[in-house]
Amino acid sequence: MSKEEPAIPNSLLEALRTAQHLVVLTGAGISAESGIPTFRDAQTGLWAQYSAEELATPEAFQHHPRLVWDWYAWRRQMVAAAKPNAGHLALARLEHLVPTFTLITQNVDGLHAAAGSRAPIELHGNIMRVRCATEETRYTTWSEEGALPPPCPTCGAPLRPDVVWFGEQLPVIALERAWTAAATCDVMLSIGTSGLVEPAASLPRLAYNRGATVAVLNLDVTPHNEERLYLLNGQAGSLLPALVAALEQQG
Ligand code: NAD
């Protein structure tokens, strides 16, 4: 851990050590150190003229399907080349240190599963899958030969990335599981998320209002500690290994 990053407060470690149900919510920030840009990062190269918010919508796909398909193909290539970083790996260790652990992610990159986390709840889908824009059938393989977006093999409607776009509903079962976990946990860590995209942004508030200890690990926050609320400023790839190592040392 670099010198300017805060130590993990002992009272937070104590809350984690005695937690019965720990919930972790992650956002794009945890994958930034794997080289996957967050939505708020400036787009680069060919894509610099668009904001992510302009491309990740059902309207964009309806009006410019090829443009949106190509943008996701570009993101998919980045994801395929990415490896889990120290933050993802630390979370995979953390789940073995508490009786009940729930990992909820807004990320679509699959890096938590690649790091060894069991059954992360993917609130916003997974970029490595596509689904039929009409009948919702999901596919993990498809052809890039011929017309793009490729047609659904069953009905011919365009295939689209199996991700949740701005303005779309989240998968009901995943959201219910996330909501129940947040409402019943005793500690929640919110990592690398700007807290701007609902309903995920409400999960830490729900946990806090139900009496849980909440710790936010993010590059954007001003460090702050009070009873049951910790704001830790730093990189997930540094803070999380330090936190997990401290818990493992305490045994
Ligand atoms: P966001 O882009 O809104 O916010 C990312 C947050 O992470 C910022 O607050 C930033 O300060 C922080 N951050 C950046 N690097 C960090 C680091 N190394 N350590 C700790 N914090 C760091 O992302 P969001 O809150 O997840 O919400 C936006 C939406 O973007 C989500 O719906 C998600 O599906 C989607 N998205 C996913 C990916 C992915 O799968 N990797 C990438 C981009 C966007």
Side-chain angles (χ1 to χ4, degrees):
M1 197 158 99
S2 68
K3 270 193 193 139
E4 64 275 13
E5 281 175 354
I8 313 293
N10 279 330
S11 51
L12 172 59
L13 289 174
E14 184 57 21
L16 284 162
R17 206 177 53 75
T18 54
Q20 290 303 305
H21 185 181
L22 169 62
V23 173
V24 176
L25 170 69
T26 64
I30 195 165
S31 294
E33 291 164 72
S34 292
I36 301 174
T38 69
F39 268 8
R40 319 289 154 203
D41 286 335
Q43 300 240 71
T44 55
L46 276 181
W47 300 106
Q49 57 185 308
Y50 303 99
S51 74
E53 283 88 344
E54 281 175 291
L55 295 166
T57 68
E59 293 76 25
F61 188 65
Q62 200 184 343
H63 298 304
H64 308 288
R66 178 65 195 261
L67 178 78
V68 174
W69 180 268
D70 285 351
W71 184 60
Y72 275 94
W74 173 71
R75 293 190 72 87
R76 204 178 285 120
Q77 262 180 2
M78 263 187 303
V79 166
K83 301 251 180 312
N85 64 53
H88 297 108
L89 295 169
L91 287 182
R93 273 157 55 206
L94 183 58
E95 76 179 59
H96 298 289
L97 303 179
V98 287
T100 306
F101 180 87
T102 307
L103 177 57
I104 305 166
T105 188
Q106 298 167 85
N107 295 346
V108 297
D109 55 33
L111 287 180
H112 285 303
S117 286
R118 289 173 298 197
I121 300 174
E122 294 181 322
L123 285 182
H124 294 165
N126 192 304
I127 198 171
M128 300 315 258
R129 289 191 307 258
V130 296
R131 69 172 197 258
C132 173
T134 304
E135 24 159 88
E136 308 253 308
T137 321
R138 290 174 165 76
Y139 301 94
T140 51
T141 57
W142 60 92
S143 170
E144 297 271 348
E145 309 286 313
L148 293 176
C152 170
T154 315
C155 76
L159 293 176
R160 54 161 284 179
D162 188 17
V163 301
V164 177
W165 282 329
F166 291 105
E168 292 188 316
Q169 298 292 321
L170 275 65
V172 173
I173 293 173
L175 186 58
E176 273 176 15
R177 287 180 59 211
W179 214 257
T180 303
T184 56
C185 68
D186 39 21
V187 181
M188 179 182 281
L189 304 180
S190 168
I191 303 164
T193 172
S194 55
L196 295 173
V197 180
E198 290 291 354
S202 293
L203 294 170
R205 203 165 28 249
L206 172 63
Y208 183 79
N209 289 342
R210 293 292 179 99
T213 294
V214 174
V216 175
L217 284 63
N218 196 301
L219 285 179
D220 277 346
V221 293
T222 305
H224 175 86
N225 290 349
E226 64 180 60
E227 207 195 344
R228 295 202 296 110
L229 182 63
Y230 299 87
L231 307 184
L232 305 184
N233 184 297
Q235 296 208 311
S238 303
L239 289 173
L240 284 171
L243 182 149
V244 172
L247 287 175
E248 286 171 340
Q249 269 164 24
Q250 284 178 356

